[in-house]
Amino acid sequence: MLEFYRWDRGQDRIMPSPLEKARQEPESMKGRILAAARRLFGEYGFSGVTTRMLAREVGIDISTLYYHWGEKQDLYDAVMADLSCEIRAKLREIEGMVRGATLSHRLEVAIDVMCDWLFDHPEAARLMLSSYMGKSRSAPDAHVPIKEHIANIAVAMGLALDRTRVPARANARVLTVWNSAVNFTAGEDFFLPMLGVDRDEYRSVVKETLKFILIPAFTLPPAA
Amino acid sequence: MLEFYRWDRGQDRIMPSPLEKARQEPESMKGRILAAARRLFGEYGFSGVTTRMLAREVGIDISTLYYHWGEKQDLYDAVMADLSCEIRAKLREIEGMVRGATLSHRLEVAIDVMCDWLFDHPEAARLMLSSYMGKSRSAPDAHVPIKEHIANIAVAMGLALDRTRVPARANARVLTVWNSAVNFTAGEDFFLPMLGVDRDEYRSVVKETLKFILIPAFTLPPAA
DNA sequence: AGAGAATTCCATCATTTGTTGGAAACCTAT
DNA sequence: ATAGGTTTCCAACAAATGATGGAATTCTCT
C-alpha cells in the first residue's frame, strides 16, 4: 500500500488526477504536503530541503510524507508538474483576457496580471529559476516546459505568425521580459533594499520598468 | 595549525591577501580548491555540494580541504568574495574602456564585454543568481555586493548624476539588463535549445537582444 | 644531511538524511 | 460494535555528510 503514489509518475502533460485533487483540496493531507513542499523547495532548493524539514513544516511524521508522495524526488517532481500546470492556466487566462485588444493594451494587461501573480507566488518564481539553472545533483530534467508558453506569447504578441516556427530573436525578446519578471519577483528580498523603496513602490517600479522596456521591443518593426 | 584560514574572515571589502594569492596562483593547492569550489558551487548550489565532491574534484583528501579553507561555509564565502572582487574589477575595466565615448558606444561595448565574460564564466552567473534568491539553509548574507556596481553603471550611463542618490527607476533599468545577461548565461543549457540555435548563434542573439532592449531605455528622456 | 615547519593523508566520530517495516489510531459501512 | 481498509506515527536502519586528531610525508632553509 506504500505504492499508490506511483499513479502520477511521468504525467506532466495532461494533469494527473491525484495532483489535481491535491491542489484543489488544500485541506487534504496530500494538498498540505504539496503546498509546504512548494514553499520550502522554492526557498531552499531541492538539496536544501530535508524530508524532516518538510514533515515538521506540515506538522506530521516523515512516514506520512512518504505514504502520500513517495520519495523526495517524486514530491519535487509533483511540485514542478503542479507549478507548470498553474502557469499554463495563468497564461491561458491572460490570453483570454486580452484577446482582440490592441497590442499595447495586451502588453499592459499581460505584464500587470503576470507580475501580480508572481509577486503573490514568489516561490513559483524561485522554483522556475532553479529549474533553469538545473543540474541538481540527483534531479534529472524536471523542468517547467516553459518553451511552449514563450512561443505562444510570441505569437500572441505578433512577433511570429506560426507557433511552430518562431524566430530565435522573437523568443529571445519574450524570454527577456519573462525572465526579468521572474527575477524581480524571486529576488524581491534582495533587490528591494537596493532600490531603496518600500514594497508597494517596488512592485510598481518593476511593472513600470518592464512595460517601459517591453513596449519598443514589440512595437518596433522586426529589424535586425 | 588548523586555524590560519581564519585570516580572511569578514573581509569582503578590501581584497584579503590570501584570497588574492589563491586566485593569482591557480597552481597552488589553495587556488585549485577555490577554483573547483567555484565550479561545483555554481553548478549544484551550496547544499548540493559535499566536501567529498570537492575533494574528489581536486583529487585530494577531505582534510586537505579543511586545512586550507576551513569549514564548507567559509570556503563558500571565499568563493563569493573572490567572485565579487572579480566582477568589480571587470566593471572597472569596462568603465575604463568606454570612458569618454558616446553613450551608444558605451552601451555597445559594455554589453559585449560583459556578455563575453559571463559566457566564459557561467558558474559566476549561477553563483550570483543563487545569491540573489538567497536563503540557503545555513548560509547568512554572503551576497555579492552588486548594489554599488549597479549604481555605478547607472551613473556612468547618465541615468543619475550622483552615485549616492540614484533614482529607483534608473536602478531598476540597469538591473533589468544586468539580470538578463546573468540569466541568459546562467541558463544557457536550458535556453539554448528553446531558441533552436547553436552556441555561437545563441550568444550573438543574446547580445543583440540585450542591446536592442537596452538602447531605448537609456537614450529616451527620463519620463514617467 | 637534518631540524623544524608546512602540507597531505588515514582513520574515525557524531549527526544528519533518505527511507522503510510494522504497530497503533482512525474511518466507514454494515 | 466490529471488520476492513485507510491514514498516521514510532522506531529503526544504512548510507552519507561535516568535521577533526594525529601520523606520515614533503618542503625549506641552513
Side-chain angles (χ1 to χ4, degrees):
Chain A
M1 282 310 148
L2 244 162
E3 301 285 338
F4 86 86
Y5 63 83
R6 298 184 186 281
W7 206 97
D8 29 41
R9 278 258 180 84
Q11 312 211 21
D12 45 26
R13 319 210 127 254
I14 297 174
M15 186 60 162
S17 168
L19 230 186
E20 202 170 30
K21 271 208 283 187
R23 181 152 42 85
Q24 284 172 356
E25 301 170 9
E27 295 311 316
S28 75
M29 185 52 70
K30 243 192 146 173
R32 283 169 56 202
I33 295 176
L34 191 69
R38 181 160 156 168
R39 234 176 302 138
L40 289 185
F41 281 136
E43 204 156 346
Y44 303 104
F46 179 77
S47 24
V49 175
T50 73
T51 54
R52 281 163 178 84
M53 283 171 70
L54 280 165
R56 188 200 245 177
E57 175 92 355
V58 189
I60 57 172
D61 189 85
I62 332 169
S63 320
T64 307
L65 205 144
Y66 279 83
Y67 173 72
H68 285 286
W69 291 105
E71 307 186 3
K72 185 183 169 189
Q73 181 68 51
D74 293 335
L75 176 53
Y76 183 81
D77 291 345
V79 167
M80 295 310 277
D82 180 43
L83 175 64
S84 171
C85 258
E86 217 170 322
I87 290 175
R88 187 182 328 230
K90 199 72 199 170
L91 288 177
R92 291 237 171 89
E93 179 194 325
I94 293 178
E95 203 180 330
M97 287 174 67
V98 301
R99 197 188 303 279
T102 68
L103 180 55
S104 67
H105 184 251
R106 276 194 231 169
L107 297 170
E108 194 113 354
V109 172
I111 292 181
D112 270 331
V113 177
M114 205 60 226
C115 280
D116 282 338
W117 187 81
L118 282 173
F119 273 124
D120 288 339
H121 300 76
E123 83 292 345
R126 292 214 189 86
L127 283 168
M128 277 185 278
L129 266 190
S130 23
S131 160
Y132 297 168
M133 305 188 301
K135 304 209 181 184
S136 39
R137 183 158 31 129
S138 55
D141 24 26
H143 285 316
V144 176
I146 211 85
K147 180 174 179 177
E148 337 148 17
H149 302 158
I150 297 294
N152 282 340
I153 297 179
V155 173
M157 294 309 171
L159 280 177
L161 299 175
D162 179 8
R163 79 189 54 208
T164 66
R165 204 67 198 118
V166 181
R169 271 173 263 282
N171 267 336
R173 288 179 197 174
V174 177
L175 257 185
T176 303
V177 180
W178 173 264
N179 283 341
S180 295
V182 170
N183 257 311
F184 277 119
T185 47
E188 179 170 2
D189 295 341
F190 182 70
F191 296 126
L192 192 145
M194 281 185 52
L195 300 190
V197 293
D198 63 25
R199 225 180 74 124
D200 289 335
E201 278 180 303
Y202 179 76
R203 299 188 172 198
S204 72
V205 166
V206 167
K207 282 186 190 177
E208 191 184 298
T209 304
L210 290 185
K211 288 177 196 169
F212 180 81
I213 284 181
L214 181 63
I215 306 289
F218 284 77
T219 54
L220 264 62
Chain B
M1 286 308 154
L2 244 161
E3 301 287 337
F4 86 86
Y5 64 82
R6 297 185 184 281
W7 205 97
D8 30 41
R9 280 257 180 85
Q11 312 212 18
D12 44 28
R13 320 212 127 253
I14 297 173
M15 185 62 164
S17 167
L19 230 186
E20 199 169 33
K21 272 206 284 187
R23 179 153 41 86
Q24 284 173 356
E25 301 169 8
E27 296 310 317
S28 75
M29 186 52 71
K30 243 192 147 174
R32 282 168 57 201
I33 295 177
L34 191 69
R38 181 161 157 167
R39 235 176 301 139
L40 289 185
F41 281 136
E43 204 156 346
Y44 303 105
F46 179 77
S47 25
V49 175
T50 73
T51 54
R52 282 164 178 83
M53 283 170 70
L54 280 165
R56 189 201 244 176
E57 174 92 356
V58 188
I60 57 171
D61 190 85
I62 331 170
S63 321
T64 306
L65 204 144
Y66 280 83
Y67 172 72
H68 285 285
W69 291 106
E71 308 187 4
K72 186 183 168 191
Q73 181 67 52
D74 293 334
L75 176 52
Y76 183 81
D77 291 346
V79 167
M80 295 310 278
D82 179 43
L83 175 63
S84 172
C85 256
E86 217 171 322
I87 291 175
R88 188 183 327 230
K90 198 73 198 170
L91 288 176
R92 291 238 172 89
E93 180 193 325
I94 293 178
E95 203 181 330
M97 287 174 67
V98 300
R99 197 187 303 277
T102 68
L103 180 55
S104 65
H105 185 251
R106 276 194 232 169
L107 297 170
E108 194 113 354
V109 172
I111 292 181
D112 271 331
V113 176
M114 205 59 225
C115 280
D116 282 338
W117 187 82
L118 283 172
F119 274 124
D120 288 338
H121 300 76
E123 83 291 346
R126 292 214 188 87
L127 284 169
M128 277 186 277
L129 267 190
S130 23
S131 159
Y132 296 168
M133 306 189 301
K135 302 208 182 186
S136 37
R137 189 160 22 132
S138 56
D141 25 25
H143 286 315
V144 177
I146 212 84
K147 179 174 180 176
E148 338 149 16
H149 303 157
I150 298 295
N152 281 340
I153 298 180
V155 172
M157 293 311 170
L159 281 177
L161 299 175
D162 179 6
R163 78 189 55 208
T164 66
R165 204 66 198 119
V166 182
R169 272 173 262 283
N171 268 335
R173 289 178 197 173
V174 177
L175 258 185
T176 303
V177 180
W178 174 265
N179 283 341
S180 295
V182 170
N183 259 310
F184 277 119
T185 46
E188 178 169 2
D189 295 341
F190 182 70
F191 296 127
L192 192 145
M194 281 185 51
L195 300 190
V197 294
D198 64 25
R199 224 180 76 123
D200 288 335
E201 278 179 303
Y202 179 77
R203 300 189 171 197
S204 73
V205 167
V206 166
K207 282 187 191 177
E208 193 183 297
T209 304
L210 290 185
K211 288 178 196 169
F212 180 80
I213 284 181
L214 182 62
I215 307 288
F218 284 76
T219 53
L220 265 61

